[in-house]
Amino acid sequence: MQTNFISTDRFVRHGSLDVPSDAEAQYEAAKAYLGADPGERRLFSRLEHARDGRRYALAINHRNNDYFDPSTNTIGWDPYSALRTTGGQRQSPALGLGHEIDHAVEGRMRAARLMRAYDRAFDNKEERRVILGSETRAARTLGEGVRTNHRGTTYRVGGPTQR
């Protein structure tokens, strides 16, 4: 997957996404790994080539905290935090990034509506959409664990593609 990017002192710009320079290697590793799944390739393309004029930022943390903040278009990601599903299966930090990217590229109105719709197993319909959709397809392609809810336990790994 080829990306045109521009480097500055603090960020590497991947089209409509700004990645902190010191996280470029982790981002590229996750992107290459997830790129084995066609759906994930499309999500990265939509993120990096936003047609609606939105700009996104990747914010790295080391607190087991992956999220998407629609008020700032920020994707929070911990590239060393893997997930053990409630069924005991394992997911890589890269898959967590793909999950958050799916939230980010979803239409604002639809995502907001789905976030407000309660779902017992998934907390809300937006989490259900992502987990049972792109996350499950990518997990199966990559041989990772599949979730049946929006729960699990995080644990530390050595890099974005480890489980």
Side-chain angles (χ1 to χ4, degrees):
M1 203 175 337
Q2 182 106 14
T3 301
N4 294 327
F5 58 85
I6 301 168
S7 180
T8 66
D9 289 349
R10 296 182 59 215
F11 293 95
V12 177
R13 181 168 283 169
H14 292 262
S16 48
L17 172 68
D18 292 333
V19 174
S21 297
D22 59 357
E24 176 67 7
Q26 290 93 348
Y27 174 77
E28 286 292 343
K31 181 179 174 180
Y33 174 73
L34 292 172
D37 180 75
E40 290 296 321
R41 280 196 309 272
R42 282 189 298 276
L43 290 174
F44 274 90
S45 180
R46 288 176 60 194
L47 178 71
E48 293 179 356
H49 303 97
R51 294 181 181 176
D52 60 3
R54 280 199 279 182
R55 293 220 41 87
Y56 298 94
L58 184 65
I60 300 299
N61 68 73
H62 301 286
R63 297 181 309 273
N64 302 315
N65 188 17
D66 295 348
Y67 63 88
F68 173 63
D69 181 346
S71 68
T72 62
N73 290 325
T74 300
I75 298 167
W77 180 48
D78 184 338
Y80 301 98
S81 177
L83 181 74
R84 184 172 292 107
T85 70
T86 56
Q89 297 179 323
R90 297 171 182 249
Q91 292 186 340
S92 68
L95 194 59
L97 175 61
H99 173 108
E100 300 307 332
I101 289 172
D102 194 346
H103 286 309
V105 300
E106 181 59 54
R108 290 179 182 184
M109 300 292 281
R110 180 170 186 241
R113 186 181 77 250
L114 292 173
M115 288 290 285
R116 289 188 304 268
Y118 175 73
D119 184 288
R120 189 168 146 215
F122 295 90
D123 300 323
N124 61 62
K125 299 289 184 186
E126 174 63 3
E127 291 299 343
R128 173 182 282 278
R129 179 190 72 78
V130 172
I131 291 168
L132 295 181
S134 66
E135 180 183 303
T136 293
R137 286 188 299 273
R140 287 185 174 140
T141 298
L142 300 165
E144 295 200 22
V146 173
R147 289 197 282 176
T148 58
N149 56 43
H150 188 222
R151 291 165 195 47
T153 307
T154 57
Y155 61 96
R156 307 306 286 171
V157 292
T161 62
Q162 295 181 357
R163 296 181 256 157

